[in-house]
Amino acid sequence: MAKMQYSGTGRRKSSVARVRLIPGKGNITINNKPLDDYLAMEIVKREVKRPFEIAGCEGKFDVIARVHGGGTTGQAGALRHGISRALCQADRDAYRAALKDAGFLTRDPRMKERKKYGLKKARRASQFSKR
């Protein structure tokens, strides 16, 4: 018999995380690397583990994730979003309320603004001179 697995897609800025939850001991694997090897900063690692703390199910699921795009914090936010969605799929009644109150099921809509023509960046114009 195949193991039960739950999936969720998380997004933040330009990062996309495809997350699978499998009942296990709490191992987190991102792009075929353990969490400690993939993410360096402790704050960012804690951010990825937060959904389990809030739902009260630390050590119940193994996480296998594929992440691409963006930087470390954007990827961590995408992972958090994906894990939260997958937990809701696992047991909606038990986890959804707590995760929703924490704001983990809401997609962070902030994106980098596009560059406009005639400007150096999105809003940065060249220096103005009266002469």
Side-chain angles (χ1 to χ4, degrees), residues 24-102:
K25 296 182 176 118
N27 300 324
I28 300 176
T29 310
I30 305 164
N31 292 353
N32 298 322
K33 292 181 182 175
L35 176 68
D36 296 330
D37 292 352
Y38 192 78
L39 297 172
M41 293 185 292
E42 197 57 45
I43 299 164
V44 178
K45 288 181 207 170
R46 205 173 313 127
E47 193 67 20
V48 173
K49 294 176 185 173
R50 283 286 305 283
F52 295 116
E53 291 171 26
I54 285 170
C57 59
E58 298 105 315
K60 287 186 182 176
F61 295 101
D62 286 345
V63 177
I64 298 166
R66 281 249 179 252
V67 192
H68 67 272
T72 14
T73 47
Q75 287 189 350
L79 281 163
R80 185 184 81 174
H81 190 221
I83 290 169
S84 301
R85 281 179 153 186
L87 280 171
C88 280
Q89 202 180 62
D91 190 351
R92 190 177 179 88
D93 301 331
Y95 305 137
R96 185 170 168 81
L99 291 169
K100 190 141 178 74
D101 289 344

Side-chain angles (χ1 to χ4, degrees), residues 113-126:
E113 193 174 331
R114 80 171 208 80
K115 185 196 174 299
K116 277 65 163 207
Y117 59 87
L119 300 180
K120 292 182 187 289
K121 291 166 66 179
R123 299 182 186 204
R124 172 81 174 107
S126 55

